[in-house]
């Protein structure tokens, strides 16, 4: 899959400007891809806010886990939502993010995750959407 120049410019900007990331579907299991990506982001200076209803109130990677995006304090400054959920779950996540995250700049859908209609809704509101990619793979070229 060829990376379009426009996507690459967006990824460069995201990597350099989005510092607070809500990771939807972050697992406490260190063997899961979500944990590895979140740990990588932390190692690069990003604040990671875990979102996982099954682990709400617990701590993953030193951060309190929230049940939903709506439960994250509005002043947390979430700029990016990184989604580790199936494509069917994306519309509800995008709609919630648009409604409750005042600093939202980016919706990032992980490898294998796409939803063009939800992406179009976010883009119509000025939010950059990256689909079917992983920041742990894409960011090293830009940091």
């Amino acid at each position: 899959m060829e990376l379009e120049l426009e996507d690459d410019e967006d990824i460069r900007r995201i990597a350099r400007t989005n510092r607070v990331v809500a990771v939807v579907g972050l697992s406490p299991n260190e063997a899961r891809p979500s944990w590895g990506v979140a740990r990588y982001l932390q190692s690069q200076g990003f604040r990671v806010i875990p979102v996982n209803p099954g682990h709400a109130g617990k701590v993953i990677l030193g951060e309190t886990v929230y049940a939903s995006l709506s439960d994250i304090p509005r002043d947390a400054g979430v700029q990016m939502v990184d989604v580790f959920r199936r494509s069917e779950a994306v519309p509800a996540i995008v709609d919630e993010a648009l409604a409750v995250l005042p600093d939202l700049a980016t919706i990032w859908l992980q490898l294998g995750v796409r939803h063009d209609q939800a992406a179009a809704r976010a883009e119509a509101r000025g939010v950059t959407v990256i689909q079917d990619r992983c920041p742990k793979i894409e960011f090293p070229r830009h940091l």
Side-chain angles (χ1 to χ4, degrees):
M1 145 173 48
E2 180 127 354
L3 185 63
E4 295 177 22
L5 183 58
E6 183 178 334
D7 284 348
D8 202 42
E9 290 171 4
D10 285 340
I11 291 167
R12 178 182 304 108
R13 179 181 43 75
I14 293 163
R16 294 179 180 173
T17 63
N18 289 206
R19 306 313 298 170
V20 181
V21 181
V23 179
V24 177
L26 179 53
S27 172
N29 181 345
E30 294 179 21
R32 303 289 298 168
S34 62
W35 192 92
V37 170
R39 180 65 194 105
Y40 165 78
L41 291 170
Q42 280 187 330
S43 76
Q44 299 303 307
F46 294 82
R47 178 177 180 208
V48 170
I49 299 176
V51 178
N52 186 325
H55 298 283
K58 298 178 183 171
V59 174
I60 299 176
L61 293 168
E63 292 277 353
T64 300
V65 181
Y66 293 93
S68 69
L69 294 171
S70 299
D71 293 330
I72 299 172
R74 291 179 67 84
D75 64 357
V78 173
Q79 298 164 299
M80 179 171 131
V81 173
D82 188 5
V83 180
F84 281 90
R85 296 282 312 279
R86 292 184 180 156
S87 297
E88 322 61 270
V90 169
I93 293 166
V94 167
D95 291 344
E96 182 181 18
L98 291 170
V100 302
L101 300 174
D103 300 309
L104 182 66
T106 305
I107 301 280
W108 191 293
L109 305 180
Q110 279 293 328
L111 294 171
V113 182
R114 291 193 66 87
H115 199 288
D116 293 335
Q117 294 86 356
R121 284 199 307 275
E123 289 168 344
R125 297 268 304 272
V127 174
T128 301
V129 179
I130 304 294
Q131 300 191 78
D132 193 25
R133 299 206 184 280
C134 178
K136 186 177 177 185
I137 294 168
E138 304 294 340
F139 281 12
R141 299 179 277 136
H142 303 295
L143 295 175

